[in-house]
Amino acid sequence: MRRFLRDNALSLGFLLIFVVALAAQSVVGLAYENEELAQHGRPPIGWTEFVTSSAFVVDVAENWQSEFLQFFLFILATVWLVQRGSPESKKPGSEGVGSDEEQLVGAHSRPDSPRWARAGGLRGALYANSLLIVMGAIFVLSWLAQSLAGLVVANEENAEHGMPSLAWSDYLVSPDFWNRTLQNWQSEFLAVGAMVAFTIYLRQRGSAESKPVGTPHHTSAVESE
């Protein structure tokens, strides 16, 4: 167990932080929701009712979809685009998907390579793009959940003000939906761009996301090995 925890500390650590943050969001969100209900003379709701409500789902989903869109685009972009000196990028001249020999696939695979990497054909192609496929799928599902939950919230607010309900297609082109969406997208793109640029010139000793401290600015971590 100790070895398992050590070998998986990074993923387990972030999983724990995620669970704690999500639980805290649900507690604080419930308190805020009940304050809003009290101001309108309505009775408070319980935690279970809140975390299964559209109001909670839309807040969670709109953040998830922007995060996974960020990873989807960054994974795709780093296949073809490079940034000299950044450890977040391949070195200039290595753009593209690489040869089968470089990627250890098909006839060039090792005995301990993943089975689908050795298979070739459709299975090999799917596995070669599996990270992008999964990130894209989670983004689409989160975006869909955000749009459906947001529609419910918007129609509840419309009903309170005596306004007609919106269809899903109408909500998708509404300012409310795109305000929720774009305010998350722009922050994610800024964070990724800043990480790429800052890691050219700044260092964090011991971090896998940083070049060795003494590596020249114009050299990537790959080139310095």
Side-chain angles (χ1 to χ4, degrees), residues 30 34 37 42-56:
L30 174 62
N34 282 333
L37 292 174
R42 297 165 61 183
I45 61 174
W47 181 82
T48 301
E49 184 178 355
F50 174 68
V51 296
T52 56
S53 69
S54 296
F56 181 72

Side-chain angles (χ1 to χ4, degrees), residues 167-194:
W168 183 63
S169 56
D170 294 327
Y171 181 66
L172 288 184
V173 296
S174 69
D176 177 66
F177 176 76
W178 284 104
N179 179 56
R180 284 179 173 272
T181 299
L182 292 174
Q183 67 180 320
N184 285 285
W185 286 8
Q186 55 86 13
S187 62
E188 301 299 342
F189 299 153
L190 173 64
V192 171

Side-chain angles (χ1 to χ4, degrees), residues 32-105:
Y32 176 78
E33 181 72 11
N34 282 333
E35 285 180 357
E36 291 284 304
L37 292 174
Q39 291 174 6
H40 292 83
R42 297 165 61 183
I45 61 174
W47 181 82
T48 301
E49 184 178 355
F50 174 68
V51 296
T52 56
S53 69
S54 296
F56 181 72
V57 171
V58 71
D59 287 340
V60 172
E62 72 181 40
N63 285 286
W64 286 16
Q65 60 93 358
S66 63
E67 294 289 347
F68 283 97
L69 175 64
Q70 170 197 170
F71 287 123
F72 176 85
L73 292 178
F74 190 58
I75 293 165
L76 180 61
T78 53
V79 175
W80 303 102
L81 304 179
V82 297
Q83 174 59 59
R84 180 178 293 278
S86 175
E88 301 296 320
S89 167
K90 297 184 291 188
K91 63 181 181 180
S94 61
E95 299 89 338
V97 297
S99 66
D100 287 354
E101 183 177 4
E102 292 171 332
Q103 294 293 316
L104 302 176
V105 297

Side-chain angles (χ1 to χ4, degrees), residues 86-144:
S86 175
E88 301 296 320
S89 167
K90 297 184 291 188
K91 63 181 181 180
S94 61
E95 299 89 338
V97 297
S99 66
D100 287 354
E101 183 177 4
E102 292 171 332
Q103 294 293 316
L104 302 176
V105 297
H108 301 282
S109 62
R110 304 187 335 186
D112 58 350
S113 294
R115 183 174 60 183
W116 279 37
R118 301 195 305 267
L122 178 60
R123 287 191 297 168
L126 286 173
Y127 188 71
N129 297 280
S130 56
L131 182 58
L132 195 65
I133 291 170
V134 170
M135 290 294 183
I138 297 175
F139 159 67
V140 171
L141 292 174
S142 300
W143 178 87
L144 181 61

